[in-house]
Amino acid sequence: MNKYKMCVIPASPLENVQLLKDRVIFPYVCYRTFGESLRLVTKCTGDYPYLSYLEGADLVPLPEDQPHMEAAVRYLSGHAGEIDLLFLFGARGEYMELTRTYKSLRPDGIIYLKLDTNIDWANALPLSHKPFADFLRNCDIISCETRRLQSLLYKKWQRPVEYIPNGVYYPLYPGASDVRFEEKENIILTVGRLGDIQKNSLLLLYAYALAFPQFDEPWDLVMVGSVTPEFQADCEDFCRRFPPLAPHVHLTGNIADKHTLHQYYRRAKIFALPSRAEGGSPNVFSEAAVYGCTVVTTGVDAAPDMTDNGRVGRISPDIEDFDGFARELAAVCLDPAYLARNFHDMRTYIKEFFDYERLAARLQILVELQASKRRQK
């Protein structure tokens, strides 16, 4: 198999936290699997302590006095000969000039586009705009993160769209192999931008309140992530209105240290995802699943994939149904035998279908097929 010089160019400057999310970690696993080198080309937004997790990857800072994509195109113009495989993230108009430039300089080069989108966003893409349609045609391999979206795009675009979900790079979770269900606690965990409209945090808070009287033993709700001032006020009001629940609701704030964050996944039995929408499959699902958390989710596009169509988790389809989400929470909290069994089932499921090393091996085959087509021309 060939080794490829790889390059990641985001549509906007990378932040440190994104280095361990799908837009960077999947290219990094591909680099470890079949790459010769990996460059992360971006304007810098601050320090990048998470770069220490990405041994061998090179961060290439773009000039600060130029717009991000303008600087990226100039960089590509001078370095296209050193890039065999270009990773792009999101079907964004910002990439139109970049892909034209790369293909003009490296007609033998391969572009991989990871869509990171949901059905609503995909339906809004300006496919009738020729420069945008040309951008999509210039992408040799396109993947999405949910089977539901893959089916829709295949029919709509009349071209192959691969299914590559957001997964787990196991070397980043050294403590996951020895987690035991017996060590877990009655914790319902959520991780995200608390108060963000998309994350729908109030749904979880009030669904928990509806479910709480049904519990036969106490369950704590632990909410990890940055907190908007509005949600902080909502949570304080919630605790005043429901004093018996107040000691069981915990806002931790943002947790940057991965070891500390993983301890919450390790302790929790349930991971709750109350989102209105997600761009693809959420990275937090994979993190929770590798620690054997049972997932309770709204009906986002990735819900069937995250739960294996309801086998290893629960889906409350309506994103505004407080009662429905509460019913699913109560059902799993009241079924310790299911939680214990599902701890093992979830870990088996995530390993089989969401292991980034397996997904990288699949992309390697797709890249080799594209390279073979180039050689035959």
Side-chain angles (χ1 to χ4, degrees):
M1 290 285 192
N2 296 315
K3 294 287 187 179
Y4 293 83
K5 297 174 183 176
M6 303 176 178
C7 181
V8 175
I9 299 182
S12 58
L14 282 174
E15 299 176 3
N16 176 63
V17 68
Q18 294 167 334
L19 297 187
L20 296 184
K21 293 190 175 184
D22 52 310
R23 70 182 65 195
V24 174
I25 201 65
F26 184 53
Y28 178 73
V29 179
C30 291
Y31 154 63
R32 301 292 292 185
T33 304
F34 62 101
E36 178 180 330
S37 61
L38 176 65
R39 303 178 189 183
L40 311 176
V41 177
T42 180
K43 285 182 70 172
C44 293
T45 58
D47 294 330
Y48 292 92
Y50 284 177
L51 194 61
S52 63
Y53 291 97
L54 307 177
E55 182 180 356
D58 294 320
L59 183 72
V60 179
L62 293 173
E64 292 297 320
D65 60 347
Q66 300 172 18
H68 174 75
M69 286 309 298
E70 181 181 317
V73 171
R74 289 181 179 176
Y75 176 84
L76 195 64
S77 298
H79 297 272
E82 304 161 14
I83 300 168
D84 306 317
L85 176 57
L86 178 61
F87 286 85
L88 306 181
F89 185 84
R92 300 179 178 276
E94 291 93 329
Y95 282 135
M96 293 187 297
E97 184 179 355
L98 189 82
T99 52
R100 281 197 304 270
T101 301
Y102 181 69
K103 281 299 184 180
S104 68
L105 297 171
R106 283 295 304 272
D108 62 324
I110 297 169
I111 298 176
Y112 166 56
L113 172 64
K114 187 179 189 300
L115 284 175
D116 183 54
T117 191
N118 57 42
I119 288 175
D120 291 336
W121 293 352
N123 280 331
L125 292 176
L127 301 179
S128 60
H129 181 50
K130 187 177 183 306
F132 188 84
D134 289 344
F135 150 56
L136 290 181
R137 278 193 291 271
N138 280 331
C139 296
D140 302 285
I141 304 167
I142 298 178
S143 76
C144 66
E145 295 80 9
T146 70
R147 293 194 182 279
R148 183 184 293 173
L149 183 58
Q150 180 193 32
S151 177
L152 180 145
L153 292 181
Y154 180 79
K155 295 173 184 175
K156 188 170 184 176
W157 292 2
Q158 295 295 297
R159 64 163 291 171
V161 176
E162 305 297 329
Y163 169 62
I164 299 180
N166 293 337
V168 175
Y169 184 43
Y170 279 88
L172 294 180
Y173 301 88
S177 60
D178 63 354
V179 65
R180 299 290 181 268
F181 181 75
E182 293 73 20
E183 301 171 359
K184 285 182 170 286
E185 304 169 31
N186 287 353
I187 291 175
I188 300 165
L189 175 68
T190 193
V191 179
R193 302 182 303 276
L194 303 177
D196 184 287
I197 292 176
Q198 177 184 325
K199 298 304 180 183
N200 207 13
S201 308
L202 274 179
L203 172 72
L204 174 57
L205 191 62
Y206 281 89
Y208 171 74
L210 291 169
F212 192 87
Q214 304 174 55
F215 298 156
D216 52 15
E217 54 184 340
W219 281 77
D220 284 359
L221 175 62
V222 177
M223 309 183 80
V224 176
S226 58
V227 184
T228 66
E230 294 80 9
F231 186 71
Q232 182 70 47
D234 287 336
C235 192
E236 291 171 0
D237 178 65
F238 175 90
C239 291
R240 284 192 297 268
R241 293 176 61 192
F242 304 101
L245 276 65
H248 299 283
V249 177
H250 309 277
L251 301 185
T252 70
N254 186 52
I255 298 177
D257 179 70
K258 287 295 181 181
H259 175 74
T260 302
L261 177 60
H262 293 173
Q263 290 306 304
Y264 280 103
Y265 288 120
R266 188 183 188 97
R267 292 167 55 201
K269 291 180 181 176
I270 295 170
F271 185 82
L273 188 83
S275 297
R276 288 188 170 90
E278 290 285 344
S281 56
N283 292 281
V284 288
F285 154 69
S286 300
E287 291 189 319
V290 78
Y291 284 97
C293 300
T294 290
V295 173
V296 178
T297 180
T298 49
V300 294
D301 290 346
D305 305 84
M306 290 189 290
T307 64
D308 196 19
N309 293 300
R311 182 180 68 86
V312 294
R314 297 296 187 100
I315 303 171
S316 178
D318 188 340
I319 60 174
E320 302 296 343
D321 185 358
F322 289 70
D323 290 318
F325 205 91
R327 282 194 299 271
E328 299 301 342
L329 277 181
V332 293
C333 289
L334 292 169
D335 195 344
Y338 168 75
L339 289 171
R341 182 176 65 253
N342 201 54
F343 167 79
H344 299 287
D345 291 346
M346 176 60 88
R347 283 159 59 84
T348 300
Y349 177 62
I350 196 81
K351 179 65 177 175
E352 185 172 358
F353 295 103
F354 294 83
D355 184 339
Y356 263 145
E357 292 182 313
R358 295 187 182 189
L359 296 171
R362 171 167 172 71
L363 185 63
Q364 180 180 16
I365 294 171
L366 297 172
V367 169
E368 287 293 334
L369 287 172
Q370 290 295 326
S372 176
K373 290 179 183 178
R374 302 289 193 281
R375 291 192 292 268
Q376 293 172 12
K377 288 183 179 180

